[in-house]
Amino acid sequence: MSPRRVVVTGMGALTPLGLDVQSFWDGLVAGRSGCAEISSFDASGFPVRIACELPGFDPEEYIEKRDIRKMDPVTRYAMAAAQMAWKEAGFDDGAIAPERAGVVIGTGVGGIQTLENQHTVLMEKGPRRISPFFIPMLIADMPSGQVSIHLGLKGPNYATVSACASGAHAIGAAYHAVRDGDAEVMVTGGTEAAVCPLSLGGFANMKAISARNDEPEKASRPFDRDRDGFVLGEGAGIVVLEELDHAKARGARIFAEMVGFGATGDAYHMTAPAPEGEGMARAMSAALAAGGLDPSDVQYINAHGTSTPPNDKLETAAIRTVFGDHAERLAVSSTKSMTGHLLGAAGGIEFVATVLTLEKKIVPPTINYETPDPECDLDYVPNQAREAEVTCALTNSFGFGGHNAVIALRRFDE
């Protein structure tokens, strides 16, 4: 019996480049940076004062006004992107048995803005003033829970938390649920709302983020010799995965096929990747093996590409380990150069970017690539998008704690 095939039938994106999939893609192809001075709070006392925020996002377009105050922004973002994906997949008419559809959404830090706000309430007004919604707003599973409530989906439902690999792990778990017959349809991806004083201060003090305050649009520069850290971003990328025959039976539009998923652990360090990118390489190899792919089948990798000194050189080394001589023929770009790093949401929006690369036959660029680094010596598609016949691609996600998750996608072919 052949394994069940899993296809992508809906996509939603809420990103610093735009508040829907089309504007997100347009921004990527144009090579536009979403980084600017922080506008959501006064960051003048911080060593880093830039981020990739979501200008113009209005939660009332997706959530009843009375419910918005009960949701942390991390859940609001997931609700918006999930509704986009669900509508595009054509399920607005209820054409799915609720018990056969589920939700898995990842987040790195969950409702950190709620934690920050309610701690201030505790310190200034005392314990009796803590919101009764504090815990359900804070916990990391609530984006998945609220999306399932809103869409009425009663299949598998949970969250994944693996730092910056959370969104990719969620998609991998959803892929397994559909492939293994636990569901026909899964809503999945990542969401994050970490642009707030507490997380900005934490990331800045560990020197993980760029302090290029005077040139925010040039701050995220993956693989460039002069990179100095990532740019904090926020948003959500949510997709609908569906069993192939189920999708065909209802005449759904199929964007791409997900063919493999690989996950490994470094067992090495809290924040640094393992030497030579050993864990990263095993995750890429696992994704290829799961998809029955040879390295030479792949034309494009959407890199994790954070713009931190250690990640970029070790990801490069890992790609060379896995792909050998074929690495010279790969296009490898980091869309984080434009979106910033959406932490737990990164795997979700980069999945969307990779699907669109397959469909549109255009590889998004790595912007701000100005000075080559001898330790980063691949084709990073510098500064300009490129037309290319991409039929098979990987998207990489790696997280603090040594979490590695890689997804293999292929252009859909009967």
Side-chain angles (χ1 to χ4, degrees):
M1 184 175 176
S2 300
R4 286 158 56 100
R5 295 171 67 183
V6 181
V7 294
V8 184
T9 55
M11 297 188 289
L14 197 67
T15 81
L17 295 179
L19 305 180
D20 54 53
V21 170
Q22 186 62 54
S23 56
F24 168 50
W25 178 249
D26 290 345
L28 291 181
V29 173
R32 178 166 58 83
S33 170
C35 186
E37 290 186 12
I38 291 173
S39 62
S40 57
F41 63 91
D42 180 6
S44 59
F46 289 74
V48 175
R49 300 182 293 279
I50 56 174
C52 288
E53 298 178 290
L54 299 179
F57 173 62
D58 180 4
E60 290 190 36
E61 293 182 19
Y62 301 95
I63 308 166
E64 291 288 339
K65 192 172 183 177
R66 67 175 183 274
D67 294 329
I68 292 174
R69 69 183 183 87
K70 303 175 187 174
M71 296 182 188
D72 184 273
V74 73
T75 299
R76 299 174 195 166
Y77 298 166
M79 288 282 284
Q83 289 176 58
M84 291 179 214
W86 195 244
K87 182 178 181 181
E88 186 174 51
F91 283 117
D92 269 359
D93 60 359
I96 179 70
E99 294 79 7
R100 296 298 296 159
V103 186
V104 183
I105 295 174
T107 177
V109 295
I112 192 169
Q113 294 193 35
T114 294
L115 175 64
E116 183 180 64
N117 294 338
Q118 291 301 305
H119 183 262
T120 299
V121 170
L122 172 65
M123 293 294 101
E124 295 181 351
K125 299 180 180 179
R128 290 185 177 276
R129 298 295 298 275
I130 295 173
S131 169
F133 298 109
F134 168 50
I135 298 300
M137 290 173 69
L138 166 72
I139 52 183
D141 63 312
M142 200 49 60
S144 187
Q146 288 284 15
V147 167
S148 73
I149 292 167
H150 181 80
L151 299 180
L153 307 182
K154 299 181 179 180
N157 189 292
Y158 54 98
T160 54
V161 179
S162 51
C164 304
S166 300
H169 271 119
I171 295 171
Y175 166 74
H176 286 155
V178 176
R179 185 199 63 182
D180 298 346
D182 295 331
E184 304 300 334
V185 174
M186 292 294 293
V187 178
T188 183
T191 183
E192 205 72 270
V195 181
C196 65
L198 188 60
S199 62
L200 183 75
F203 281 119
N205 288 349
M206 69 183 297
K207 301 189 183 306
I209 53 180
S210 173
R212 202 179 290 257
N213 295 308
D214 296 333
E215 296 181 299
E217 70 283 358
K218 292 190 174 184
S220 183
R221 42 196 320 112
F223 305 109
D224 184 87
R225 186 195 62 186
D226 298 327
R227 63 193 184 276
D228 68 334
F230 66 81
V231 172
L232 197 57
E234 61 183 356
I238 306 290
V239 300
V240 175
L241 300 184
E242 188 169 358
E243 194 277 328
L244 174 60
D245 290 338
H246 191 276
K248 290 169 68 175
R250 64 185 190 87
R253 178 182 176 185
I254 296 173
F255 292 92
E257 180 173 5
M258 183 170 167
V259 295
F261 176 66
T264 65
D266 282 353
Y268 175 68
H269 190 271
M270 286 175 63
T271 57
E276 304 302 319
E278 181 268 344
M280 301 173 176
R282 285 189 294 111
M284 284 187 271
S285 294
L288 293 172
L293 301 171
D294 186 85
S296 62
D297 293 330
V298 177
Q299 296 89 32
Y300 172 62
I301 297 176
N302 187 298
H304 188 56
T306 55
S307 185
T308 58
N311 174 88
D312 294 0
K313 73 174 184 180
L314 293 176
E315 186 172 13
T316 298
I319 290 171
R320 287 204 169 277
T321 297
V322 174
F323 289 89
D325 292 343
H326 185 64
E328 300 294 336
R329 294 182 283 279
L330 287 171
V332 180
S333 67
S334 172
T335 44
K336 289 185 181 74
S337 61
M338 294 166 277
T339 65
H341 192 350
L342 275 68
L343 309 180
I349 67 164
E350 289 162 16
F351 183 99
V352 173
T354 307
V355 168
L356 292 171
T357 297
L358 292 162
E359 186 187 54
K360 307 289 187 184
K361 303 179 183 179
I362 299 174
V363 177
T366 303
I367 69 167
N368 299 321
Y369 185 84
E370 296 174 340
T371 307
D373 179 343
E375 294 186 288
C376 300
D377 56 356
L378 298 171
D379 173 10
Y380 302 111
V381 195
N383 302 313
Q384 298 288 330
R386 177 190 304 166
E387 293 185 4
E389 189 67 27
V390 179
T391 59
C392 189
L394 301 184
T395 175
N396 289 345
S397 293
F398 310 126
F400 285 170
H403 311 298
N404 308 301
V406 176
I407 292 167
L409 287 157
R410 188 165 56 197
R411 189 181 299 167
F412 177 66
D413 188 344
E414 293 281 355

